[in-house]
Amino acid sequence: MAIPFFYLALLIIFRFSMVTFSMELTTILTDQSALLTLKNHVIHDPENVLTTNWSASIPVCNWFGVSYGSKHSRVTALDLTGLGLVGTLPPHLGNLSFLSLLYLTNNSFHGGLPVKLSNLQRLKLMNLGNNSFSGEIPSWLGSLTELRSLLLYHNNFNSSIPLSLGYLPKLEILNLEENHISGEIPSFNISSLQRIHLYNNMLSGSIPPVSRALPSLELIDFYSNRLIGSIPKDMFDHLPNIKTLNLGQNRLSGRIPANLVKCKKLQFLSLSYNHLEGSLPVEIGNLSMLRIFFIGMNHFEGEIPEQIANLTLLEKFDGDYNNFTGTIPRQIGNLKNLQWFDLAINNIVGLIPPAILNISTLLKISLAGNQLSGHLPSNMGLWFPNLEELYLGGNHLVGPFPMSISNASKLTNLDMSINYISGHIPENMGNLRNLKMLNLEINNLSSSRMSFISSLTNCRDLEVLSFDDNPLISGKLPGSIGNLSGSLEEFYASACNIEGSIPTEIGNLSRLITIELDNNKLTGLIPAAIGGLKELQRLSLSFNKLEGPIPIELCQLNKLAYFFSTSNKLSGHIPPCLGNLISLRILLLGFNMFSSSIPSTLTRLNNLLKLNLSSNSLSGPMPIDIGNLKVLAGMDLSNNQFSGDIPTGVANLEDLIEFSLSNNRLTGSIPDSFGDMLSLELLDLSRNNLSGEIPKSLEKLQYLKSFNVSFNRLHGEIPKGGSFGNFSIESFRGNEALCGAPQLHLPSCKTTHKNSKAKAKLIIYVALPIALTILELVLQSEVWCLVLETKA
């Protein structure tokens, strides 16, 4: 019986559907298997995303980070960005043959890229940035002809950039920045290329020729590499759409090509930190879209062209560390949209043009480190309603402090240091309520009773306050110092003729990191309240008239790294608890009135680099375990009353460069192990009661430049080798029993005593046996003669 047509058609449809379903099931299982293999290669999943979500019991289309194409029933995108995953990529990912997007950014994948990923022929976007991938950038990436975006930034790739990447026909963005890539930059012949990021690698060679095939290129970032040679003269002929060009921090030389002017859309240009020279092309003034311009750290010369005033959209102009000369052109005032004007650290001379005052849009002015002179306009503070940062330090500015500056109410950073500015510091500086940094150091400023400090208590964001080296500032530190900003971290008031005591209110500034009050006329005690400054790292009180003991509260400053209190009148014992401040790097307590012995606890300071306890009244033996200060580079214990032997453990200080024990009461001999302190450049043991010989082992100290053992009780021959040929009699004077070379004007070392001993040994060991042998032969001959006579 024939099967009806209807049933036959139904059977055919059913069988075809089963085949299609079987094919779809197979492909789904292929993708699922590939992703589960990736899961197995992840050794750390901090958010448990893959652990809990990627399971064979859940359809792949519902897995986190997986996109599924219904048309072909295949995985089309994998995005696992920012999950903190740790692991490697399995080659099985190459089986995701319909994948067009692969994002594994911000994880900790490591190892190389499997070659089987070259099967991803539909891949358009690959972002593996901010991982720990390593090895070579594979050349097979050039076979992924559908790639639009290739992002491998911030990894550990090395070797060179494959030439094949220069021919990816549809590539728009290439980002390889912050790797360890070396070699030369290949040429790119890709009409679709828009952005190329190679920042912070180790690329060398010259900038490759720019092809005519790059009409879409908008960004080139080659910053921080090792590129050499000049900028290609025709480079800018083929970049009509370039907006960002960053060639800074390389080794480029030569001049800036004049045809840069053809880049009409250029907004960001950085050529800083190179070896470029010559003058700036005047045509730069026609780049009307330019907003940010860095040309620092080169060798440019000549005046800044007046045409630069045509940059009406310029936001930032940075000339740091160049060799510009001449004056600031008055036409700079035409830049009505200028936001950042920076010509710091050049050789600009002359006055600051008043025309700058017409630019109300300015946010930052930096003219520091030049040779600008003249007065500051008295009304300058009225013209900058938006100014946030003003840097004028390191010039030759004179005249009174502009009182109107307090009207620039948006100022956050104000630096007028290292000039010749005079007059009073305004008492209304507190009007600058947004101020974070105020630096007025090294000027001729004055202030009656330092009333400006009380005004600055209104600046609740103040972090840095410096007015040191202004000798016309005088008076006492007001108690209102304790009302300054709770954000204050650095306070500098050295060399200001400050009198009186340190106010206890200073202990309120709990976030202080640095206090410098040295070279003043401070009296009284170091306040115990200073122990409340738990963040303090640097305390400088040297060259004052402070007295009394070091407060034990100071031992609570666990972050203290630098304590300078030289040349005061401090007395009593050195607190043993200083040995608990394991962060101490430098401890200078010389020229005070400390007594007793060195606390043995100081030998716990394993990070101490420099120790100066000189010119006190310290006594007793040196700590026997002083050799524990392993990283010590300088130690001065001179002009005290130390006694006993020099501990042999001192020789463990292998990094010691300067070592002075002069003018003490030390006895015994110079340890022979001093010859192992190979870093020594200065060794002063003068004016003690040392005896014995100068160890010949000191000849090994090849860096020794200064050596003094004068006025001891040393004897014997002065060593001749090593650095000893460079020392004069002054190094050995006052040791009556020393002998040495004629140029030292010392007695020559006698050898008679030694020669007599040698002769005696020669007689005993050589001459005597010979004499005995001769005597024996004589006796034998006589015996034979007697025998012969008897026989006869």
Side-chain angles (χ1 to χ4, degrees), residues 88-315:
T88 57
L89 298 187
H92 304 71
L93 283 183
N95 294 332
L96 302 175
S97 54
F98 279 78
L99 200 68
S100 64
L101 182 149
L102 176 60
Y103 278 9
L104 302 177
T105 323
N106 299 332
N107 286 289
S108 294
F109 286 105
H110 56 273
L113 301 183
V115 66
K116 199 171 181 181
L117 294 185
S118 60
N119 294 340
L120 304 179
Q121 291 296 310
R122 291 180 173 85
L123 198 63
K124 297 179 180 179
L125 307 174
M126 176 187 280
N127 190 344
L128 307 182
N130 201 17
N131 278 282
S132 299
F133 290 112
S134 58
E136 297 182 359
I137 296 176
S139 59
W140 53 255
L141 285 169
S143 67
L144 303 180
T145 55
E146 295 296 319
L147 265 183
R148 269 73 163 175
S149 180
L150 176 59
L151 311 179
L152 304 178
Y153 61 89
H154 201 177
N155 278 285
N156 296 315
F157 289 112
N158 52 38
S159 191
S160 58
I161 301 173
L163 297 176
S164 60
L165 296 189
Y167 297 93
L168 285 169
K170 298 181 181 179
L171 192 65
E172 298 174 358
I173 300 175
L174 175 64
N175 191 336
L176 306 178
E177 65 185 33
E178 295 189 281
N179 279 282
H180 306 292
I181 304 169
S182 57
E184 297 187 357
I185 301 173
S187 295
F188 290 91
N189 296 281
I190 307 171
S191 60
S192 58
L193 192 61
Q194 299 175 14
R195 304 165 69 93
I196 176 169
H197 303 260
L198 301 178
Y199 158 83
N200 198 13
N201 278 286
M202 298 183 290
L203 294 163
S204 57
S206 57
I207 297 174
V210 176
S211 166
R212 294 179 180 273
L214 298 173
S216 302
L217 199 58
E218 297 180 356
L219 181 147
I220 297 176
D221 189 353
F222 294 165
Y223 183 83
S224 188
N225 279 283
R226 301 173 182 176
L227 301 176
I228 59 173
S230 58
I231 300 173
K233 292 183 179 180
D234 61 346
M235 178 174 185
F236 305 115
D237 291 336
H238 312 309
L239 298 173
N241 291 301
I242 194 73
K243 296 179 181 178
T244 297
L245 177 62
N246 191 349
L247 304 179
Q249 198 164 318
N250 280 284
R251 302 169 186 175
L252 299 172
S253 56
R255 295 174 176 266
I256 301 175
N259 62 355
L260 176 65
V261 70
K262 294 184 179 181
C263 302
K264 300 293 185 182
K265 297 182 180 181
L266 196 62
Q267 299 177 19
F268 180 106
L269 173 63
S270 175
L271 305 174
S272 59
Y273 299 94
N274 278 290
H275 304 300
L276 298 171
E277 59 188 8
S279 58
L280 287 172
V282 295
E283 293 84 1
I284 286 180
N286 296 322
L287 297 175
S288 58
M289 300 293 289
L290 199 61
R291 298 175 180 271
I292 298 174
F293 186 23
F294 294 122
I295 53 173
M297 202 62 180
N298 282 285
H299 302 292
F300 294 120
E301 58 188 20
E303 294 189 2
I304 301 172
E306 292 189 4
Q307 288 85 343
I308 208 163
N310 298 328
L311 307 183
T312 55
L313 292 178
L314 190 69
E315 291 181 349

Side-chain angles (χ1 to χ4, degrees), residues 658-713:
E658 298 183 357
F659 186 24
S660 178
L661 295 175
S662 174
N663 199 18
N664 279 286
R665 300 174 180 176
L666 296 169
T667 58
S669 60
I670 301 173
D672 186 70
S673 57
F674 269 28
D676 297 328
M677 301 166 70
L678 299 180
S679 299
L680 269 181
E681 296 180 10
L682 180 150
L683 178 59
D684 191 348
L685 305 175
S686 63
R687 298 185 181 276
N688 280 284
N689 292 310
L690 298 172
S691 58
E693 297 185 351
I694 299 174
K696 191 172 178 58
S697 63
L698 299 187
E699 292 179 342
K700 295 188 295 183
L701 305 180
Q702 58 179 327
Y703 300 112
L704 196 61
K705 300 174 183 177
S706 178
F707 178 70
N708 195 344
V709 290
S710 61
F711 299 100
N712 279 284
R713 296 188 294 112

Side-chain angles (χ1 to χ4, degrees), residues 459 524 562 587 668 756 781:
C459 305
Y562 306 95
L587 177 60
S756 61
S781 63

Side-chain angles (χ1 to χ4, degrees), residues 330-349:
R330 57 182 175 79
Q331 290 87 347
I332 203 76
N334 297 333
L335 307 181
K336 301 303 181 183
N337 296 295
L338 192 67
Q339 294 185 8
W340 195 334
F341 181 52
D342 191 337
L343 281 177
I345 315 179
N346 281 284
N347 290 307
I348 304 297
V349 298

